[in-house]
Amino acid sequence: MRAIWQLQWWQSRNRLRKLLRSPGWLIFYAVMGVGFVTLVVYSARTSISHPPAAGATMGRLPFTLPVAISLWAVVATLMAVQQGTKRPPVTFELGDVNLLLPTPLPPRLVFAAQFLRRLLGHLLQALPSLVWVGYLLIRVSYRIPLGGLVGLFLSFFLIQVWADAVESVVWMALYRQQPERAAARAGWVRNAVLVITIVALAWALTPLLPSVENPAAPRLTALSERLDTIAAIPPFGWFGELVPATPGPVSSGSGGLAASRPAAALALVGLIVAASGLAVFLANEYYEPALAQTEVQRQVLAAARGQSGTAATTTMDTQGTALAILGGRATDRLASIQVQPFGQGAWAIAWEQLLRYLRFERATIVYALAFVALFGGVLGAIVRGAGLPPAWAWSIPLLLSLLNLSTGYLGEEFRRPEIYLIPDPTIVRLLAASLVSWWDTSSTGSLMLWLAALVASAGTPTFGSVMAGTLAAWVLLLTLTWLTLGAGLLSMILVPPWLPGMTRVLLSFLILLPALIPSLAVCLIVAWQLGSIPAGFLAAALPTALLAAILFAVAARFFDRLEVTD
Amino acid sequence: MNTPQAASESPQVDASPLLDVRHLSKRFGDVVAVNDLSFTVAASQIVAMLGPNGAGKTTSLKCIVGLLRPQAGQITLAGQPARTPQARAALGWVPEVPYAYELLTIWEHMQFVALAYRLPDGWQERAAALLRQFDLWEKRSSLASGLSKGMRQKLVICLALLHQPRLFLFDEPLVGLDPPAQRELREIILQLRQAGAGVLISTHMLESAERLCDQALVMHKGRQVAAGSLAELREQFHLPTNTPLEDVFFEAIR
């Protein structure tokens, strides 16, 4: 046991020493520390001057804080079960494989040590979450007394530990069996999670559907009641009870459950200890599946990113026949998609990217689409249920498209020789290398936009006009994606590789924000003059496309300055 | 040179093999990686495990080390079932890819092994001697992340030697080492044999195998296709007495 603790201590200490030399990390935690102290001072003053506002809703949202915490626990649990079917709860470093696993230390002890290490990590991670959420709650006029702050911290921490324990139990129970049987049962569990999620969502959102008996005003109340019902299911309800402002009828202001809080905390701790103990008990034969799954994930990711060369130096002993075969089976599944070669010169880059994109996305497409569709559907349902104008369903996907500053496949292309060697004009090489990244980001935004608009307006008299407006918003979205890609590309070329990655992100924003001013101005002027937001969107697409072209031209001009680190 | 504990053990150790693998089979889905493999490694014996890529050598080693779960067969280490702590304590493993903990110094690695194997006081001198032998002493305070591949290989070898196991598994131990270190390691392996340890080496370097090993085990497509001393293998394949191991190997996998 002492060997493992000593190992953890040395690693943590040396990691901390390295981090202390990283200014970004220091600044982040300094800001978080100041935020935490400010929050504590604010909470202490609130405790003295105001009693906690029991049952206070969070701004205009149709639920209370305890319900939000409980719903988060529900989501975290479902995600943990789903993750437990495919991702090992233990992560072995390459050093572990060579040095730790062959030792006489029992596998259960190795797992328990990893679990405890993650528990400490959750304690640290709960601090930034507390600061962000605390600040947001204060912004929506939610009072947080000191006791509430402690409860909030406990809820963040215990939800993470609970999810960790659930994931560990699921994975250990599944993969202690032979691989074929484990894979089959993992599929059943994933399907069960999917069905439970769909049924729960459908049941919760049904009140938002319009009907004669269900006029617009009480719809949110009905939704709120259903969310309360889900949140009250034990043990999820116990997480909500950690927060002093306990739910009761919003109008009465009489929470009255503060006395049960320690009992809820104790019950949760007991439950988590029991689940963790079960995971440790099950952890006797897990080295092989843990190593194999980690290796497969790395190989699939490396294959999708075209980094097979670098994968050989970073993977977990790829020489092992076992791992190579398992990885091979995963990549065989990916390889079944074929696309006929198209284009010559630089356009061949677009073909190979498309091939990699389709093969990679096939492995993740169900979950990626489900997530985007869920987000779009919920957005549309909220717009419809709350009676908001359709501009909400258009604007949010447009704003989200601006946040995606990742250069994706385009950035990866710069680590390969072809983009430098193909004898085509630079602008052609950059455009060809950007096509798939553009499609990747714009297609998810498009799905979200169209689905939100469809859910918001289907069956209503304004359906036709909303769809026409969505078309205009979609054209703007396609050009905005090009613009963000151009900003990311230019920042990548201008920022030297030895500067931290955050510098590139900041520069991307600094390029993007002024580039948006003409589009925003045109959009506002046209929308105001014609009295039509879609007309504004359509007009704004033109300057957006023009500025995207300018960014690409400037990037091509400075392409020779690009330095690549790896 | 540090000698393994076997050197001071009673002669009864020699009576039973240090490593006894019987009918080992390992498959991944429909792919059979190792099929009914049986062999032994006795004390004071060096066995070379040979075979082309994908023959099942590393899979077999990983089954012995306990990283993979075999579907069938028994593995006994120093008379104990392979998965018991006592069996693991008797085993030293040098993997092909010499990864160590990036955030530990060389000396902290040695301390970790001493703790993990519950070594009694006195290990520090042995550790220092090993590090000096492999030219790592001056770098004992360096993090592993700053070491070259060759240095990491040396470190992993030192770690495998520190707890003085009775059985050593080497997976391509010479790859990545500079010529002086290669010679050093060859000498160490011979000294280990002299001290009574058993050594199993998986390698593609047939010349080194021929110089070092008492027995050879040739694998192909997961099966054992030949086993024995070089003389026995020559006889098995009706080859002249001076035939090098390389020719015997190609004959075996033909």
Side-chain angles (χ1 to χ4, degrees):
Chain A
M1 189 68 180
R2 195 179 149 212
I4 293 187
W5 287 125
Q6 200 70 48
L7 177 67
Q8 303 291 343
W9 162 242
W10 283 324
Q11 286 186 305
S12 306
R13 185 197 61 195
N14 293 341
R15 183 174 288 121
L16 193 65
R17 280 180 184 162
K18 283 186 103 174
L19 285 174
L20 286 174
R21 293 186 213 123
S22 158
W25 187 86
L26 276 180
I27 290 168
F28 176 75
Y29 270 92
V31 169
M32 285 302 123
V34 170
F36 178 68
V37 171
T38 311
L39 203 59
V40 170
V41 170
Y42 172 86
S43 300
R45 285 177 55 193
T46 304
S47 300
I48 295 164
S49 58
H50 305 282
T57 54
M58 297 164 64
R60 296 177 60 185
L61 296 177
F63 42 77
T64 60
L65 179 61
V67 172
I69 297 283
S70 297
L71 290 175
W72 178 28
V74 173
V75 173
T77 307
L78 287 171
M79 286 175 69
V81 175
Q82 201 266 347
Q83 294 283 10
T85 62
K86 57 180 182 178
R87 189 182 69 180
V90 281
T91 47
F92 289 126
E93 286 182 36
L94 299 159
D96 288 327
V97 180
N98 287 353
L99 304 176
L100 176 63
L101 305 191
T103 63
L105 297 168
R108 286 193 173 105
L109 188 65
V110 173
F111 168 74
Q114 280 232 358
F115 188 84
L116 288 175
R117 186 176 69 175
R118 283 203 304 280
L119 191 140
L120 292 175
H122 293 319
L123 262 180
L124 270 182
Q125 286 162 7
L127 178 67
S129 308
L130 181 74
V131 172
W132 290 125
V133 174
Y135 177 75
L136 284 175
L137 289 174
I138 290 166
R139 290 291 299 166
V140 295
S141 306
Y142 200 93
R143 299 190 186 288
I144 311 174
L146 205 53
L149 201 64
V150 174
L152 205 56
F153 184 83
L154 264 181
S155 65
F156 290 166
F157 171 61
L158 290 181
I159 285 176
Q160 292 299 319
V161 182
W162 162 250
D164 223 359
V166 169
E167 186 181 331
S168 302
V169 169
V170 171
W171 191 87
M172 289 294 178
L174 283 171
Y175 289 97
R176 70 205 310 262
Q177 307 168 61
Q178 284 300 317
E180 292 83 358
R181 182 179 289 184
R185 295 199 173 165
W188 298 347
V189 174
R190 273 197 293 273
N191 290 338
V193 170
L194 200 62
V195 168
I196 290 170
T197 308
I198 290 170
V199 169
L201 270 176
W203 181 74
L205 295 176
T206 309
L208 294 177
L209 293 176
S211 67
V212 179
E213 306 80 41
N214 190 11
R219 281 184 208 154
L220 283 184
T221 310
L223 170 68
S224 175
E225 284 170 1
R226 294 206 168 182
L227 292 179
D228 286 352
T229 308
I230 294 175
I233 300 170
F236 311 117
W238 302 347
F239 288 101
E241 289 179 32
L242 292 171
V243 188
T246 49
V250 174
S251 55
S252 75
S254 57
L257 293 178
S260 67
R261 194 182 57 208
L266 278 177
L268 277 174
V269 170
L271 188 70
I272 290 169
V273 168
S276 316
L278 180 60
V280 172
F281 171 74
L282 294 171
N284 57 344
E285 286 277 353
Y286 64 95
Y287 287 170
E288 177 183 327
L291 295 177
Q293 285 184 21
T294 308
E295 180 61 16
V296 169
Q297 283 168 5
R298 288 182 194 218
Q299 285 194 9
V300 169
L301 207 60
R305 291 179 174 172
Q307 292 174 339
S308 52
T310 53
T313 60
T314 56
T315 50
M316 196 172 289
D317 193 0
T318 48
Q319 179 64 27
T321 309
L323 305 183
I325 287 172
L326 284 167
R329 287 168 66 195
T331 47
D332 281 349
R333 285 201 300 275
L334 296 177
S336 59
I337 287 184
Q338 294 294 332
V339 177
Q340 286 301 311
F342 60 82
Q344 288 192 332
W347 299 105
I349 295 175
W351 170 72
E352 60 89 4
Q353 280 189 358
L354 181 65
L355 212 51
R356 287 194 285 136
Y357 170 77
L358 290 175
R359 287 175 180 174
F360 180 53
E361 288 305 315
R362 190 185 177 196
T364 57
I365 201 149
V366 174
Y367 290 104
L369 284 181
F371 178 76
V372 173
L374 181 69
F375 193 90
V378 169
L379 174 62
I382 289 173
V383 168
R384 186 179 190 130
L388 297 170
W392 282 92
W394 299 327
S395 305
I396 289 176
L398 287 174
L399 286 173
L400 287 178
S401 73
L402 292 175
L403 296 178
N404 191 354
L405 283 168
S406 160
T407 47
Y409 286 78
L410 172 63
E412 287 160 19
E413 210 57 56
F414 290 162
R415 290 195 287 267
R416 297 155 58 89
E418 291 83 1
I419 197 164
Y420 306 100
L421 300 178
I422 291 173
D424 279 354
T426 310
I427 185 77
V428 177
R429 282 183 278 152
L430 291 181
L431 282 173
S434 310
L435 270 182
V436 170
S437 297
W438 171 74
W439 164 256
D440 186 22
T441 47
S442 63
S443 60
T444 47
S446 303
L447 177 65
M448 194 186 299
L449 173 73
W450 283 103
L451 205 61
L454 200 66
V455 172
S457 64
T460 65
T462 58
F463 178 71
S465 63
V466 171
M467 285 295 113
T470 308
L471 187 63
W474 183 57
V475 173
L476 180 58
L477 186 139
L478 296 182
T479 55
L480 277 178
T481 318
W482 268 115
L483 190 68
T484 51
L485 205 55
L489 171 66
L490 193 55
S491 68
M492 194 161 58
I493 289 172
L494 295 181
V495 174
W498 41 267
L499 281 173
M502 186 54 76
T503 316
R504 197 182 63 74
V505 176
L506 286 175
L507 185 62
S508 300
F509 268 114
L510 288 178
I511 295 169
L512 184 63
L513 290 178
L516 284 170
I517 292 173
S519 311
L520 194 63
V522 169
C523 181
L524 290 175
I525 291 167
V526 172
W528 181 61
Q529 286 291 328
L530 299 181
S532 162
I533 293 174
F537 286 158
L538 212 52
L542 194 65
T544 309
L546 191 65
L547 277 156
I550 290 171
L551 288 186
F552 268 81
V554 175
R557 170 71 183 77
F558 288 102
F559 187 63
D560 291 342
R561 295 170 56 113
L562 181 68
E563 291 182 65
V564 183
T565 47
D566 55 337
Chain B
M1 175 60 215
N2 303 282
T3 55
Q5 286 167 343
S8 56
E9 294 284 346
S10 58
Q12 65 180 3
V13 172
D14 292 342
S16 62
L18 283 175
L19 172 64
D20 190 356
V21 176
R22 291 186 188 183
H23 308 294
L24 177 71
S25 290
K26 176 66 187 169
R27 61 180 168 77
F28 302 101
D30 300 330
V31 180
V32 180
V34 179
N35 192 359
D36 197 26
L37 178 68
S38 296
F39 67 95
T40 59
V41 178
S44 300
Q45 189 180 47
I46 301 175
V47 176
M49 189 180 251
L50 310 173
N53 292 330
K57 304 187 296 297
T58 302
T59 300
S60 305
L61 291 185
K62 285 186 171 173
C63 286
I64 296 167
V65 174
L67 295 179
L68 296 179
R69 298 184 290 200
Q71 266 85 23
Q74 290 91 42
I75 302 169
T76 311
L77 293 170
Q80 303 281 340
R83 300 207 165 222
T84 58
Q86 295 88 341
R88 283 164 173 260
L91 183 68
W93 185 41
V94 178
E96 185 196 5
V97 187
Y99 280 111
Y101 290 111
E102 302 278 309
L103 289 172
L104 255 62
T105 64
I106 287 179
W107 187 251
E108 285 166 349
H109 276 91
M110 304 301 266
Q111 285 178 292
F112 167 66
V113 168
L115 286 169
Y117 288 87
R118 300 174 194 279
L119 299 187
D121 273 347
W123 65 266
Q124 292 90 343
E125 289 75 29
R126 219 165 43 240
L130 276 169
L131 293 182
R132 286 198 178 93
Q133 196 171 1
F134 280 91
D135 295 327
L136 290 174
W137 179 248
E138 302 298 324
K139 289 187 169 287
R140 64 188 180 281
S141 300
S142 304
L143 292 178
S145 56
L147 301 179
S148 68
K149 189 190 172 194
M151 285 183 185
R152 288 176 192 219
Q153 179 81 337
K154 290 176 184 176
L155 171 61
V156 170
I157 292 168
C158 290
L159 295 171
L161 293 170
L162 180 62
H163 67 283
Q164 296 176 294
R166 294 161 62 186
L167 176 73
F168 288 86
L169 306 185
F170 289 95
D171 195 357
E172 293 292 354
L174 300 173
V175 173
L177 292 181
D178 53 28
Q182 284 191 24
R183 173 180 285 184
E184 189 72 47
L185 182 60
R186 275 196 293 265
E187 285 172 9
I188 285 175
I189 290 172
L190 291 172
Q191 287 171 20
L192 289 171
R193 173 175 64 182
Q194 205 170 3
V199 181
L200 177 63
I201 306 174
S202 163
T203 183
H204 292 298
M205 294 190 173
L206 298 177
E207 275 185 34
S208 294
E210 186 169 355
R211 272 194 283 170
L212 282 174
C213 299
D214 307 304
Q215 301 271 322
L217 169 71
V218 185
M219 293 181 69
H220 189 40
K221 295 178 180 173
R223 286 182 170 278
Q224 174 183 316
V225 292
S229 66
L230 185 53
E232 287 167 347
L233 291 177
R234 285 178 187 133
E235 194 178 322
Q236 185 182 340
F237 294 105
H238 310 293
L239 295 167
T241 49
N242 58 350
T243 308
L245 180 60
E246 184 177 326
D247 292 352
V248 176
F249 172 77
F250 283 115
E251 189 66 30
I253 64 166
R254 199 171 59 171

